[in-house]
Amino acid sequence: MNTRYWTDHFRRNARHRPEPDWQAPIHLQGPAMRKLVRSLQQFQLGDGGGPAYLIAWNHRRRLAADPAFKDLVDLWFTEEKEHSRLLGDALKRFGAPEIRSHWSFGLFCGVRKLAGVDFELQALLLTEIVSHVYYKMLRRHIDDEAVRGLCALIIRDEAGHIAFHRARLAAEAGRAGDRRGRFGEAMFRLRGLAAGTVLWVNHRAALRAAGATDGEFYRGIWSGMDGFLRGLRADRARARVGGGVKTCEELVAECA
Ligand SMILES: [Fe+2]
Ligand SMILES: [Fe+2]
């Protein structure tokens, strides 16, 4: 993996970030507003507001073995913390407090700690793919200029995170061979559907109140996983025949 590419990507992405218009008029009210606030509160906690770093029991060993990878993980989580800051400012705009805990996030963190860093990285990747769909649906359906501005920034960052994972997995397969094949892909999709369903259980009300549908969400996450797996397969095939590595810009555009 070309770590220099990715360091440059994160540094570039930290520039030109138009702040959402927090002072824009608020049109939302009633149940639609309350449901949106509950959804944003959970994302504020889960998207960089809780332990915004790897927490698996063996993560330190993995990072110590590869300092360049650790630097990228640091940059990745710096962006996750920024998501929490943006979501916290949206809550302030709506006069709502941040929350300190939620059952789904507690469960997610517990599993990540116990299951080890490889599982954790895959779980985080799947979370990025399904959250990317959530933010795109939020931007499409919620009638609030500041929320749309926040979504635009986070969608852009998450495309970079998904692309970063694709580059990481393609490079790992190049070294160790792709042992998991189609079975691994099927497991990936199953876990993604599970992660997506947990997200949808908690956030469906807010998006449905704004006009989104169940089909839209599930089509979105299926196409996100499908695009990721197809891209990764192509990257691995290219690596096997000694083809060049795609640039960050190309990968991020494919994952947008
Ligand atoms: Fe995020
Ligand atoms: Fe992310």
Side-chain angles (χ1 to χ4, degrees):
M1 182 178 186
N2 190 329
T3 47
R4 178 68 189 276
Y5 268 7
W6 286 97
T7 311
D8 289 348
H9 160 79
F10 283 114
R11 300 227 161 100
R12 247 191 341 265
N13 196 47
R15 297 197 292 264
H16 311 302
R17 300 183 68 84
E19 189 67 10
D21 182 2
W22 304 119
Q23 306 309 322
I26 297 176
H27 306 295
L28 288 164
Q29 52 184 322
M33 162 77 101
R34 284 195 293 279
K35 288 171 184 171
L36 174 66
V37 161
R38 274 201 293 277
S39 179
L40 295 177
Q41 282 172 320
Q42 288 177 46
F43 260 89
Q44 189 279 327
L45 173 70
D47 195 358
Y53 207 69
L54 298 178
I55 54 174
W57 63 273
N58 56 347
H59 80 271
R60 285 189 191 82
R61 197 192 313 156
R62 168 72 179 266
L63 297 180
D66 189 346
F69 179 60
K70 182 192 175 298
D71 290 344
L72 294 179
V73 169
D74 291 347
L75 290 164
W76 162 29
F77 279 100
T78 299
E79 289 193 350
E80 298 297 3
K81 283 182 202 141
E82 171 62 3
H83 298 171
S84 183
R85 196 275 301 170
L86 288 164
L87 290 155
D89 283 351
L91 289 173
K92 280 192 203 114
R93 164 177 168 79
F94 296 132
E98 296 179 4
I99 57 171
R100 295 281 164 88
S101 64
H102 188 269
W103 69 265
S104 62
F105 189 58
L107 179 68
F108 183 51
C109 289
V111 173
R112 282 165 55 192
K113 274 182 198 160
L114 288 174
V117 71
D118 288 329
F119 179 92
E120 180 178 34
L121 286 166
Q122 191 187 73
L124 289 169
L125 161 60
L126 287 167
T127 306
E128 315 250 36
I129 292 174
V130 299
S131 302
H132 204 212
V133 174
Y134 164 84
Y135 285 116
K136 284 179 179 174
M137 287 173 70
L138 210 57
R139 181 175 61 175
R140 195 177 307 136
H141 291 287
I142 297 291
D143 177 23
D144 187 84
E145 200 178 326
V147 168
R148 282 200 295 266
L150 161 164
C151 288
L153 287 169
I154 299 182
I155 288 166
R156 162 180 141 186
D157 295 347
E158 298 299 4
H161 300 175
I162 295 166
F164 162 62
H165 286 289
R166 191 170 128 187
R168 170 180 73 75
L169 289 169
E172 282 172 13
R175 281 204 303 270
D178 180 13
R179 291 183 297 270
R180 288 170 298 179
R182 297 292 169 144
F183 176 73
E185 288 190 4
M187 290 305 294
F188 183 88
R189 287 179 204 268
L190 269 180
R191 288 182 184 144
L193 283 174
T197 299
V198 172
L199 184 151
W200 196 234
V201 163
N202 289 313
H203 301 279
R204 179 176 188 267
L207 283 165
R208 295 258 310 171
T213 64
D214 296 342
E216 185 183 355
F217 176 73
Y218 280 100
R219 276 195 300 278
I221 63 168
W222 190 259
S223 123
M225 290 189 289
D226 205 49
F228 182 86
L229 289 171
R230 263 189 290 114
L232 180 58
R233 231 182 282 142
D235 295 345
R236 285 171 169 170
R238 198 175 317 104
R240 274 199 294 277
V241 297
V245 177
K246 285 193 174 174
T247 65
C248 294
E249 288 89 344
E250 287 170 322
L251 284 177
V252 174
E254 286 181 23
C255 295

